[in-house]
Amino acid sequence: MPKLLVTGSSGLIGSEVALYFHQVGWAIDGIDNNQRAVFFGPQGDTRWNQHRLAAAIPGFVHHELDIRDRAKVLELVKAVRPDAIVHTAAQPSHDRAAAIPFDDFDTNAVGTLNLLEAVRRACPEAPFVHMSTNKVYGDAPNLLALAELPTRWDYADPAYAHGIAETFTIDQSKHSLFGASKVAADVMVQEYGRYFNLPTCCLRGGCLTGPNHSGVELHGFLSYLVKCNLEDREYKVFGYKGKQVRDNIHSLDVARFMHAFVEAPRSGEVYNLGGGKANSCSILEAFKLTEKFSGKAQIYTYLDQNRAGDHICYYSDLRKMRAHYPKWDITKSLETTIGEIVAAWRKRLVTD
Ligand SMILES: NC(=O)c1ccc[n+]([C@@H]2O[C@H](COP(=O)([O-])OP(=O)(O)OC[C@H]3O[C@@H](n4cnc5c(N)ncnc54)[C@H](O)[C@@H]3O)[C@@H](O)[C@H]2O)c1
């Protein structure tokens, strides 16, 4: 049985990836130290998800390890010798990073280097999939000409009709400290591909979401928005008239792409992994969709000040992914995804 090592296995993407690879016949080792609860407080606690994996995956091995601990990472990868690595452990919030710059950089950049070097020494043939982010583009997408539509912003230039492609500049823009630490990791993952010829790829995620997200105000907007709706809590909209656009991809479709890459890896590749235009929505549109499933009106306040470096309009151009992996495509529409998030929060809020 091939063996997958997933970092951040108790998180949204890590847990989905663990379950997906288990279902297609892989043995799973996970690394997670519940750092999300340290970053975001008890609301970000992911232990429930760790227990869910232990119950759902026979033989699942959980490693309570901090990826910043270089010696232990080297030791663990040598002992496990995985056939593939999916690296999702991270400090994932751009707003949070400014308050904890050392923790952010040490986790996102140094933690990634620890893993890459451990893999190069122990199992250089193993595909290494890195979860990067569209924040590597900084706020450069905000410089594009935009059209204001009744409920959303959109690109005015037809050159961006399909969204932002991987060739977009990552340089000379404001990233947030989080974006900058993720750029360091992204370039290092590419370098281990190009310089050492390791089968690596960076997936520059748009909004990754799904029913198992522990959404908090600072990270996981759709999950958090749905939670606010169900609990009659006020959601704060930060600037851009609430028309800011994000593309949303269900974590299952993320896992499916990772599997496609692991089966036919390339070296030093970069993909923009999001929901694309079809799965994009503005905050105002997300309210409407959520209300449709929950039957409750969304309570919100509007604050003029946008979040520093926040994208006004971002959706991923999926054409490179589809060209390299023609059997992969989005299978979960935005509506289906929101419906699943509503159902999942209903269940979790009752049992919490
Ligand atoms: N969710 C999104 O919308 C989104 C968008 C773009 C990119 N990404 C990227 O995808 C990846 C996964 O995101 P997610 O939404 O699943 O995040 P998440 O916070 O749900 O999961 C990350 C997991 O990593 C663990 N972790 C954090 N630091 C650790 C450390 N030092 N050692 C061991 N474990 C640690 C956390 O406890 C958590 O369970 C991240 O790299 C993130 O930057 C996410």
Side-chain angles (χ1 to χ4, degrees), residues 168-184:
F168 202 80
T169 180
I170 63 165
D171 197 11
Q172 299 177 62
S173 58
K174 191 200 268 183
H175 291 79
S176 80
L177 296 194
F178 160 74
S181 65
K182 293 293 276 190
V183 166

Side-chain angles (χ1 to χ4, degrees), residues 227-244:
K227 188 174 185 226
C228 287
N229 176 290
L230 292 176
E231 293 187 315
D232 298 314
R233 240 187 307 143
E234 191 176 83
Y235 183 88
K236 289 197 195 88
V237 179
F238 294 93
Y240 303 145
K241 302 185 187 175
K243 294 184 180 183
Q244 53 270 55

Side-chain angles (χ1 to χ4, degrees), residues 3-51:
K3 197 190 287 176
L4 180 73
L5 179 62
V6 189
T7 73
S9 44
S10 309
L12 166 77
I13 300 304
S15 60
E16 194 82 43
V17 167
L19 282 167
Y20 185 84
F21 275 75
H22 159 64
Q23 278 155 15
V24 295
W26 286 59
I28 313 293
D29 277 50
I31 294 178
D32 205 299
N33 65 346
N34 198 24
Q35 193 70 20
R36 190 173 169 90
V38 179
F39 293 146
F40 302 116
Q43 300 276 317
D45 200 294
T46 56
R47 287 287 176 213
W48 66 275
N49 214 4
Q50 178 191 328
H51 300 144

Side-chain angles (χ1 to χ4, degrees), residues 7-14 31-37 39-40 44 46 65-68 87-93 107-108 130-134 178 182 203-209 213-214 219-221:
T7 73
S9 44
S10 309
L12 166 77
I13 300 304
I31 294 178
D32 205 299
N33 65 346
N34 198 24
Q35 193 70 20
R36 190 173 169 90
F39 293 146
F40 302 116
T46 56
L65 177 80
D66 192 320
I67 57 162
R68 291 172 289 185
H87 174 36
T88 77
Q91 189 299 107
S93 159
T107 303
N108 292 352
H130 169 63
M131 259 326 307
S132 186
T133 168
N134 63 17
F178 160 74
K182 293 293 276 190
L203 305 180
R204 295 177 174 165
C207 284
L208 319 177
T209 191
H213 212 182
S214 303
H219 183 243
F221 102 95

Side-chain angles (χ1 to χ4, degrees), residues 71-345:
K72 291 232 170 81
V73 168
L74 290 171
E75 198 182 297
L76 184 114
V77 174
K78 194 172 165 195
V80 174
R81 282 189 55 89
D83 297 286
I85 298 91
V86 173
H87 174 36
T88 77
Q91 189 299 107
S93 159
H94 53 141
D95 288 332
R96 189 79 189 104
I100 49 167
F102 293 128
D103 284 337
D104 177 81
F105 197 85
D106 287 346
T107 303
N108 292 352
V110 183
T112 302
L113 175 61
N114 291 345
L115 284 156
L116 282 167
E117 186 52 27
V119 167
R120 186 176 79 89
R121 291 183 191 184
C123 46
E125 65 296 333
F128 187 106
V129 178
H130 169 63
M131 259 326 307
S132 186
T133 168
N134 63 17
K135 297 295 180 311
V136 300
Y137 299 118
D139 61 359
N142 291 353
L143 300 176
L144 297 175
L146 295 175
E148 184 173 358
L149 305 179
T151 58
R152 64 157 71 195
W153 299 98
D154 202 354
Y155 303 121
D157 182 347
Y160 294 95
H162 294 277
I164 305 280
E166 293 78 0
T167 47
F168 202 80
T169 180
I170 63 165
D171 197 11
Q172 299 177 62
S173 58
K174 191 200 268 183
H175 291 79
S176 80
L177 296 194
F178 160 74
S181 65
K182 293 293 276 190
V183 166
D186 185 301
V187 173
M188 198 56 100
V189 172
Q190 289 185 57
E191 210 53 41
Y192 269 70
R194 287 165 205 265
Y195 193 90
F196 292 124
N197 212 25
L198 260 59
T200 68
C201 76
C202 297
L203 305 180
R204 295 177 174 165
C207 284
L208 319 177
T209 191
N212 298 316
H213 212 182
S214 303
V216 290
E217 185 174 19
L218 294 184
H219 183 243
F221 102 95
L222 207 46
S223 167
Y224 179 69
L225 183 154
V226 169
K227 188 174 185 226
C228 287
N229 176 290
L230 292 176
E231 293 187 315
D232 298 314
R233 240 187 307 143
E234 191 176 83
Y235 183 88
K236 289 197 195 88
V237 179
F238 294 93
Y240 303 145
K241 302 185 187 175
K243 294 184 180 183
Q244 53 270 55
V245 170
R246 281 94 187 74
D247 66 334
N248 305 283
I249 180 167
H250 193 292
S251 46
L252 177 69
D253 285 334
V254 173
R256 289 177 48 256
F257 185 80
M258 290 171 168
H259 185 235
F261 180 86
V262 164
E263 293 225 300
R266 305 165 71 107
S267 214
E269 274 298 356
V270 173
Y271 300 99
N272 285 350
L273 174 74
K277 186 166 189 175
N279 270 11
S280 71
C281 65
S282 68
I283 306 278
L284 297 179
E285 291 164 356
F287 287 163
K288 285 282 160 260
L289 279 167
T290 304
E291 287 169 2
K292 190 171 141 187
F293 285 99
S294 73
K296 293 174 129 191
Q298 186 90 36
I299 303 167
Y300 70 96
T301 44
Y302 180 76
L303 303 160
D304 262 338
Q305 186 56 50
N306 60 274
R307 289 191 156 123
D310 204 17
H311 290 150
I312 306 172
C313 178
Y314 186 95
Y315 50 87
S316 318
D317 183 342
L318 304 179
R319 285 178 297 174
K320 182 175 173 189
M321 294 173 72
R322 288 177 175 138
H324 285 191
Y325 297 95
K327 285 198 199 126
W328 176 88
D329 208 343
I330 298 282
T331 61
K332 298 263 191 186
S333 72
L334 180 60
E335 282 218 27
T336 304
T337 304
I338 292 182
E340 284 185 20
I341 298 174
V342 170
W345 269 127

